Amino acid sequence: MEATHIEEKEQQWTEVIRPKTSLFDLRLREVWQYRDLLWMFVTRDFIATYKQTILGPTWFFIQPVLTAVTYSIIFGGIAGIATDGLPRMLFYISGITVWTYFADSLTKTSNVFITNAKIFGKVYFPRLIMPLSIITSGLIKLGIQMLLFLAVWGYYLANGEPIALQWQVVLLPLLIGISALLALGLGMIISSLTTKYRDLAQLLTFSIQLWMYATPVIYPSSRIKGTSFAWVNEYNPVAPIVEAFRYMFTGVGTYSWQGLVYSASVALIILAIGTLIFNKVEKSFMDTV
Amino acid sequence: MSNVVIKAENLSKQYRLGEVGTGTIQHDLKRWWYKVRGKEDPFLKIGETNDRTQKGASEFVWALKDINFEIEQGDVVGIIGRNGAGKSTLLKILSKTTLPTTGCIKAKGRIASLLEVGTGFHPELTGRDNIFLNGAILGMTKKEIKRKFDEIVDFSGVERYIDTPVKRYSSGMYVRLAFGVAAHLESEILIVDEVLAVGDAEFQKKAIGKMQDVSTDEGRTVLFVSHNMAAVKQLCNVGMLLENGTIKTSGKINTVLDAYVQRDETINPVYINNNFENEIIAVYAIKVLDKNFQLVNQHFHNECFYVNVSYKFKQPTQKIYFSIHIHDSELQTIIFSRDFEKDESFLGLREEGEYELNIRIPAILAPGKYNISLHISHAEPPRIMQGFDHICNFEIVPAVTNQKTASFIMRGKVIADLSWEVTRKPITLT
């Protein structure tokens, strides 16, 4: 309205909206300021999920139980795939619990821009909050499903199955942390790409299904060791996580430090790439969607 | 020291048209494959040529161009302008949902924006949960919301239903609650878009009152975009008129409003729309037609006329409605009506396809110049989906019905069929 007659000092301004900020400016402090929002998205997801279904929170149990039963019949009974000597139910449910958390988190974070386009277009908050809240929501579901797993595990333990808790079980949080970060990183990369290519979302559902077969969920790692397919498990960063989880609770399975270090390194590299891409896309995506 | 709280310097925003991506990998691969073989891009729209000489002119659009302004603390700024003038782009930049192409905006204090009421409201959550969720989305911490909680509930008047899921709320309660949260934000700068277009008269009054308090008592700065000129006039002390992405006029609100009104003098009863971004509806044209459905600039005061809208639903949709405003040349609303008022079935399912709507306006407008606004809105939650404001200027002229009265000037805004009954009656004084 009027020409500036006073030279303002820069520090006077508390906020400056500029065209492009650096690629590495992640504004993590801002994410921390919005931590209450993260928690509220988590509760919203939880309440909304169980209010909209007839069976409520019991749905969290029914899904893995039915899947485990189906696998026991098809892969165990009909196909006769060995389970490293573990009872079939215990074997499958342990794999399903870990895999489901990873697969769910990945699917949901991959769609974060598309599902939230409306809210992102109306109000600003650090976009990183959304994928973070998805990963955290998944943890609650995982916690509930862990109870189911522990019940099954306790049942077999009481029935004198030769299974034993290993000291490595203290690494369980680390195990879950690795799968969370891996899903988060990969999800952020894919979600950034889906802003340009919508059909990636369909490809993803399919790919995750295939990925499960490359992971020792329905077969033990030992079963393909030495075969020409062994590389499938060796390069798959989720494989050591599933195997280690089984080993921690039963003492059966392939467990190695190297495997976990490999998974963790892959997770961290992907997370770094994902954060950078996500950070770049979040600034301009409203103009391209 | 100056009291400037917002300062925009050479602010511009450019949108890129054309190669915004085909949306799928498949299409991009196909495009690449055609290019490799030296063929024409199969996804270029008809009329768009890849001519190098034209490229610079057609591919980029400046939504905002070189905007400079300063806003002082406590000002209530009305941002006005026609569709496509750049208002929404400016708001988007201010609310950080998109970034400027060049230039910058500097601000002192927190900016809270309210581009829509109830952003992020979840129908399954209770009123209480939604207050916390919505407050957090708008940038408040849990502690701040707790402190303001009672005030918000009090303002919105929903204490009885605070633990009921908001899906059971009436649309009025919904809007009041959502506005209540936003109005109690502890930000130094508040950006408000269109919220007053929804809700009933009582709510609008309350909302305007609250925004006045916010600026006068608390010294906060408000930026207000609205098509409701009466509200802008009442609420704002300064204004900014945007036109084609630049600032046309700014200063005292009355001067700016006058400048806006003056633009409306040219008679043009047709509005051709060419923005088809909306996912649900594409409006092609809005016309003002006479009683025989002919396009004319002038209508006789004693003849009805039609507002004609051609549009297409891109997908089946429901719970939406059309509304029309007829404004006089001072932008006061003379007639307002919504399609479902007489027939609620309008709120039901609408099939996809192309349609023509004719709104019959009875012969009640007094001679003068008028324009219309047409809005297409969601019913729940109430939100304008697409709005066309102050378009289709037309004129009502007196019809010569009687040679004797022809020379009288007609006054007022509406013509009512009054009856004047005279009886002989002796006057008794008590």
Side-chain angles (χ1 to χ4, degrees):
Chain A
M1 287 161 201
E2 261 178 74
T4 27
H5 18 256
I6 313 157
E7 282 297 317
E8 280 104 355
K9 289 175 212 119
E10 280 298 313
Q11 62 261 32
Q12 224 181 311
W13 307 102
T14 55
E15 182 146 25
V16 181
I17 304 169
R18 282 183 192 291
K20 257 202 186 99
T21 40
S22 145
L23 189 62
F24 294 94
D25 180 15
L26 300 178
R27 312 185 96 168
L28 290 180
R29 185 182 292 170
E30 207 182 24
V31 175
W32 176 246
Q33 278 167 0
Y34 274 85
R35 61 192 182 277
D36 284 342
L37 180 61
L38 183 126
W39 184 242
M40 260 171 260
F41 277 136
V42 172
T43 32
R44 178 193 71 171
D45 286 347
F46 184 74
I47 294 175
T49 319
Y50 86 74
K51 268 194 179 171
Q52 273 164 352
T53 55
I54 309 167
L55 296 165
T58 48
W59 192 244
F60 290 142
F61 293 113
I62 294 168
Q63 221 178 342
V65 168
L66 281 182
T67 319
V69 168
T70 316
Y71 287 179
S72 300
I73 295 169
I74 296 176
F75 300 113
I78 299 174
I81 300 171
T83 54
D84 263 359
L86 282 179
R88 279 175 191 159
M89 268 309 266
L90 182 61
F91 180 84
Y92 293 123
I93 218 151
S94 61
I96 290 166
T97 308
V98 183
W99 174 256
T100 312
Y101 172 65
F102 174 74
D104 276 4
S105 304
L106 179 55
T107 317
K108 285 189 188 153
T109 35
S110 297
N111 288 319
V112 77
F113 279 118
I114 304 294
T115 25
N116 296 294
K118 230 174 176 172
I119 188 169
F120 282 180
K122 291 294 178 191
V123 64
Y124 175 82
F125 53 84
R127 303 310 187 207
L128 209 52
I129 292 283
M130 248 344 173
L132 284 175
S133 83
I134 293 169
I135 300 296
T136 320
S137 290
L139 282 179
I140 295 179
K141 193 177 156 194
L142 176 68
I144 297 171
Q145 290 179 344
M146 273 302 287
L147 294 179
L148 175 75
F149 167 75
L150 287 177
V152 174
W153 176 80
Y155 169 83
Y156 284 112
L157 194 67
N159 278 346
E161 285 289 335
I163 48 176
L165 203 61
Q166 307 295 312
W167 70 264
Q168 282 91 342
V169 85
V170 295
L171 296 176
L172 185 63
L174 184 74
L175 216 55
I176 293 165
I178 296 172
S179 41
L181 296 185
L182 190 62
L184 179 67
L186 207 51
M188 287 195 296
I189 294 175
I190 296 168
S191 69
S192 307
L193 294 175
T194 49
T195 59
K196 211 173 169 211
Y197 302 116
R198 300 281 179 116
D199 51 354
L200 259 186
Q202 283 151 23
L203 189 68
L204 179 77
T205 328
F206 175 64
S207 312
I208 288 182
Q209 230 162 15
L210 289 186
W211 195 346
M212 192 189 86
Y213 293 109
T215 309
V217 175
I218 54 164
Y219 58 86
S221 221
S222 59
R223 182 77 180 70
I224 66 164
K225 208 159 213 170
T227 70
S228 50
F229 299 112
W231 61 271
V232 168
N233 274 193
E234 277 164 19
Y235 289 113
N236 181 353
V238 193
I241 299 174
V242 174
E243 281 287 326
F245 179 78
R246 241 179 232 139
Y247 176 78
M248 287 171 182
F249 284 92
T250 63
V252 176
T254 326
Y255 168 84
S256 71
W257 274 105
Q258 294 93 319
L260 283 186
V261 169
Y262 169 70
S263 297
S265 331
V266 172
L268 287 177
I269 293 168
I270 288 187
L271 181 71
I273 299 172
T275 315
L276 289 182
I277 296 184
F278 188 87
N279 189 43
K280 186 171 161 26
V281 167
E282 68 154 35
K283 284 169 191 146
S284 60
F285 107 101
M286 276 322 294
D287 301 338
T288 51
V289 170
Chain B
M1 189 186 134
S2 72
N3 259 341
V4 176
V5 288
I6 305 177
K7 186 174 173 190
E9 289 171 353
N10 309 320
L11 192 71
S12 297
K13 174 75 187 178
Q14 188 184 52
Y15 282 103
R16 190 174 178 181
L17 299 178
E19 215 179 312
V20 181
T22 47
T24 64
I25 293 177
Q26 195 198 339
H27 286 180
D28 264 18
L29 284 177
K30 207 169 166 184
R31 173 186 268 174
W32 173 79
W33 178 233
Y34 271 69
K35 226 174 173 177
V36 166
R37 291 181 298 165
K39 289 196 177 178
E40 213 176 280
D41 186 343
F43 295 98
L44 267 187
K45 301 225 173 60
I46 301 160
E48 279 180 32
T49 47
N50 219 353
D51 189 356
R52 289 238 165 243
T53 54
Q54 282 190 3
K55 211 170 181 178
S58 61
E59 207 178 345
F60 299 99
V61 168
W62 291 98
L64 282 180
K65 206 159 183 199
D66 234 359
I67 300 256
N68 287 285
F69 62 81
E70 285 182 357
I71 292 168
E72 294 195 354
Q73 195 202 338
D75 273 351
V76 185
V77 189
I79 298 171
I80 55 180
R82 303 196 153 211
N83 288 21
K87 290 173 301 184
S88 340
T89 308
L90 180 58
L91 287 197
K92 274 187 192 164
I93 294 174
L94 278 165
S95 56
K96 292 202 282 186
T97 55
T98 191
L99 288 172
T101 312
T102 62
C104 67
I105 289 182
K106 294 169 179 173
K108 264 179 241 166
R110 269 205 292 184
I111 304 178
S113 63
L114 183 53
L115 301 195
E116 176 189 67
V117 281
T119 307
F121 261 42
H122 197 288
E124 295 287 343
L125 297 186
T126 63
R128 181 189 304 275
D129 291 342
N130 269 311
I131 289 178
F132 280 98
L133 177 62
N134 191 233
I137 287 177
L138 293 169
M140 286 198 266
T141 62
K142 208 168 173 176
K143 230 165 114 191
E144 285 175 315
I145 305 167
K146 253 183 196 152
R147 203 166 55 228
K148 294 271 179 176
F149 187 82
D150 291 334
E151 255 180 88
I152 294 170
V153 175
D154 200 42
F155 176 85
S156 45
V158 296
E159 36 300 50
R160 275 185 61 196
Y161 307 98
I162 197 67
D163 290 313
T164 310
V166 295
K167 65 177 177 187
R168 302 196 201 289
Y169 279 27
S170 72
S171 58
M173 282 159 67
Y174 188 98
V175 174
R176 282 203 302 274
L177 183 66
F179 184 80
V181 179
H184 291 84
L185 285 174
E186 285 188 334
S187 63
E188 288 76 18
I189 299 158
L190 184 64
I191 299 167
V192 187
D193 182 23
E194 267 327 323
V195 274
L196 298 176
V198 294
D200 51 25
E202 196 196 345
F203 163 72
Q204 296 198 357
K205 226 166 124 184
K206 206 167 172 179
I208 289 183
K210 179 69 199 173
M211 290 194 348
Q212 275 170 336
D213 291 350
V214 159
S215 69
T216 47
D217 301 349
E218 301 166 31
R220 292 200 268 165
T221 311
V222 182
L223 270 71
F224 182 48
V225 169
S226 176
H227 296 104
N228 182 346
M229 289 304 142
V232 171
K233 202 169 181 168
Q234 187 187 346
L235 188 61
C236 304
N237 61 332
V238 288
M240 196 192 299
L241 172 62
L242 293 178
E243 197 180 300
N244 296 328
T246 55
I247 296 179
K248 184 85 180 164
T249 322
S250 63
K252 289 256 174 289
I253 191 66
N254 285 329
T255 333
V256 175
L257 278 175
D258 285 347
Y260 185 50
V261 173
Q262 261 167 19
R263 288 203 62 256
D264 279 336
E265 292 297 296
T266 42
I267 302 288
N268 178 15
V270 186
Y271 179 80
I272 306 289
N273 180 36
N274 43 28
N275 173 1
F276 305 120
E277 270 173 19
N278 194 286
E279 285 165 21
I280 296 168
I281 193 168
V283 174
Y284 297 108
I286 303 166
K287 300 169 191 166
V288 178
L289 305 176
D290 74 359
K291 61 173 182 176
N292 301 318
F293 298 102
Q294 298 302 308
L295 192 64
V296 294
N297 290 346
Q298 296 180 326
H299 304 268
F300 290 120
H301 82 269
N302 61 349
E303 286 178 356
C304 75
F305 60 96
Y306 291 90
V307 174
N308 171 288
V309 189
S310 49
Y311 59 93
K312 178 174 136 188
F313 279 118
K314 296 178 183 173
Q315 49 177 281
T317 181
Q318 57 178 346
K319 283 192 182 162
I320 68 153
Y321 63 86
F322 285 66
S323 60
I324 182 155
H325 302 245
I326 298 185
H327 314 278
D328 67 7
S329 56
E330 270 128 43
L331 304 187
Q332 293 286 340
T333 304
I334 310 299
I335 295 175
F336 171 69
S337 185
R338 291 170 290 204
D339 59 7
F340 67 86
E341 282 169 8
K342 268 190 193 164
D343 180 358
E344 284 210 14
S345 70
F346 273 114
L347 288 177
L349 182 72
R350 302 193 192 226
E351 305 274 357
E352 94 184 76
E354 293 175 357
Y355 295 91
E356 184 184 64
L357 162 72
N358 279 301
I359 309 165
R360 184 181 178 276
I361 317 286
I364 54 166
L365 291 176
K369 285 176 178 168
Y370 296 89
N371 57 73
I372 66 168
S373 295
L374 183 88
H375 292 170
I376 299 130
S377 313
H378 286 285
E380 274 165 30
R383 179 164 67 80
I384 295 178
M385 194 162 77
Q386 194 150 42
F388 302 96
D389 294 287
H390 305 295
I391 51 167
C392 297
N393 296 304
F394 62 97
E395 194 171 15
I396 302 283
V397 293
V400 182
T401 45
N402 181 330
Q403 289 301 329
K404 280 185 186 164
T405 57
S407 57
F408 288 107
I409 299 164
M410 298 175 90
R411 292 173 196 271
K413 298 287 182 196
V414 290
I415 298 166
D417 189 11
L418 308 179
S419 56
W420 303 68
E421 285 172 21
V422 182
T423 45
R424 209 179 262 285
K425 195 176 179 186
I427 295 163
T428 46
L429 294 169
T430 50

